[in-house]
């Protein structure tokens, strides 16, 4: 009996030891998990703090970059699509222009352009502001320099400058207006899908791609585009004046695009040269200060998150307005 009791006692102590060890291990694992969660939380908090601080500091750094006490050439980039909420929106370009002109050390302004065009409204705003600032600061000249592409709305803007420069291989022109859509009428019929649209105006749905086109509505829309095209042509003629050889070359306003070398012969540009060439040889101040207003990383991130699905659907369904491109 004594040996059996000892054996039973020993087994009970082993079981207790294992339970204690198991509890200790579980506690250790739980503690590690807890620490890992807190570690992730604090890392995320630190990342958000640094990202927010960067978003606040970068605009200040941009302002410092654009401030100088020495004579300089002001540089403003017009890159990509000219449209609201884009890098080349009227708000950003106009803000950049005003800052450049108001700086007493600015000896000349260069618009470095690489854009296919975009909104006629945004382009028109920028065009008008360039003309206004030229009148207010007559001693400060504006030079448009086209790099790869200066077409449609981008050329609209360039025509407001005192002079236009381009590379011999740049693409220049495309003075025209476009508005594109799709037609899904036959596809709907083949699929056996009925389109139901309820409107309170006779022509409210005239751009609906799921309904047949009506001749009178097509004529109306063509009239809208022709009016926008006429406004575009008048602005270019006003900006370029007698330098534009429009009488000999009526195709200038047909939407065609030319190389920089050809554009020089047609009066679309004044000379061939780069931004650095214009700053050094024309303005006489090779030191360039960038006045371009740009989105902060935080703005770009917020923009991507906030892209409206409705905007994309409207574009796909044909509700896009006239575009200079």
């Amino acid at each position: 009996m004594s040996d059996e009791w000892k054996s039973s006692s020993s087994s009970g102590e082993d079981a207790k030891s294992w339970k204690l060890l198991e509890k200790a291990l579980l506690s250790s694992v739980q503690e590690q998990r807890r620490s890992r969660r807190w570690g992730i939380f604090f890392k995320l908090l630190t990342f958000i703090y640094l990202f927010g601080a960067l978003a606040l500091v970068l605009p200040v750094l941009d302002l410092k970059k654009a401030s100088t006490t020495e004579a300089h050439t002001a540089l403003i980039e017009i890159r990509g699509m000219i449209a609201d909420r884009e890098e080349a929106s009227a708000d950003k370009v106009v803000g950049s222009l005003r800052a450049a002109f108001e700086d007493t050390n600015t000896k000349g302004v260069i618009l470095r352009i690489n854009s296919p065009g975009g909104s006629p409204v945004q382009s028109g705003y920028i065009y008008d502001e360039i003309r206004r600032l030229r009148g207010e600061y007559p001693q400060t000249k504006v030079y448009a320099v086209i790099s790869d592409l200066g077409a449609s709305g981008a050329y609209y803007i360039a025509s407001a400058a005192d002079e236009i420069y381009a590379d011999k291989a740049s693409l220049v022109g495309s003075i025209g207006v476009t508005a594109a859509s799709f037609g899904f009428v036959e596809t709907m019929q083949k699929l056996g899908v009925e389109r139901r649209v309820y409107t309170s105006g006779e022509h409210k749905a005239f751009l609906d791609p799921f309904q047949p086109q009506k001749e009178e509505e097509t004529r109306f829309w063509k009239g809208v585009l022709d009016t926008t095209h006429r406004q575009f042509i008048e602005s270019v003629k006003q900006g370029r004046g007698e330098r534009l050889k429009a009488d000999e070359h009526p195709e200038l306003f047909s939407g065609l695009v030319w190389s920089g070398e050809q554009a020089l012969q047609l009066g679309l540009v004044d000379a061939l040269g780069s931004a650095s060439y214009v700053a050094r040889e024309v303005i006489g101040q090779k030191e360039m200060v960038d006045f371009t207003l740009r989105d902060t990383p935080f703005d770009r991130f917020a923009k991507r998150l906030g892209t409206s699905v409705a905007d994309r659907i409207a574009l796909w369904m044909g509700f896009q307005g006239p575009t200079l491109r």
Side-chain angles (χ1 to χ4, degrees), residues 127-304:
Y127 175 97
D128 291 341
E129 186 64 13
I130 293 171
R131 303 271 299 181
R132 187 190 73 80
L133 289 168
R134 282 178 57 193
E136 187 175 345
Y137 300 89
Q139 73 283 1
T140 305
K141 301 296 183 183
V142 183
Y143 302 90
V145 179
I146 297 170
S147 55
D148 294 280
L149 181 62
S152 251
Y155 186 78
Y156 190 163
I157 293 170
S159 66
D162 289 280
E163 293 180 5
I164 303 176
Y165 289 75
D167 184 81
K168 61 181 180 296
S170 300
L171 294 178
V172 182
S174 188
I175 302 173
V177 184
T178 180
S181 180
F182 295 94
F184 298 103
V185 178
E186 292 184 10
T187 301
M188 298 281 282
Q189 291 173 351
K190 289 178 181 178
L191 292 174
V193 179
E194 180 185 0
R195 173 70 165 168
R196 296 173 181 174
V197 179
Y198 307 98
T199 66
S200 58
E202 182 183 355
H203 301 291
K204 183 62 178 177
F206 81 96
L207 290 176
D208 190 337
F210 298 101
Q211 295 191 39
Q213 290 189 94
K214 296 178 182 178
E215 187 177 345
E216 59 179 314
E217 292 176 344
T218 300
R219 284 198 305 269
F220 167 79
W221 191 228
K222 182 67 165 58
V224 172
L225 300 183
D226 287 342
T227 300
T228 306
H229 190 204
R230 175 182 53 77
Q231 295 167 351
F232 188 1
I233 293 170
E234 288 175 356
S235 295
V236 170
K237 284 183 175 180
Q238 184 180 18
R240 297 298 294 161
E242 296 180 356
R243 293 171 291 181
L244 195 68
K245 299 176 182 177
D247 293 336
E248 308 97 287
H249 300 279
E251 70 275 13
L252 283 175
F253 307 123
S254 68
L256 291 174
V257 65
W258 290 270
S259 70
E261 188 174 346
Q262 293 171 314
L264 179 61
Q265 302 301 318
L266 296 169
L268 289 167
V269 303
D270 296 287
L272 302 179
S274 64
S276 58
Y277 169 82
V278 173
R280 184 180 63 253
E281 303 297 337
V282 181
I283 298 174
Q285 292 292 339
K286 66 178 181 179
E287 184 67 29
M288 287 191 286
V289 177
D290 192 350
F291 281 80
T292 310
L293 293 177
R294 292 186 173 87
D295 285 339
T296 65
F298 181 79
D299 291 331
R300 289 194 292 269
F301 179 70
K303 229 181 239 186
R304 288 179 182 177

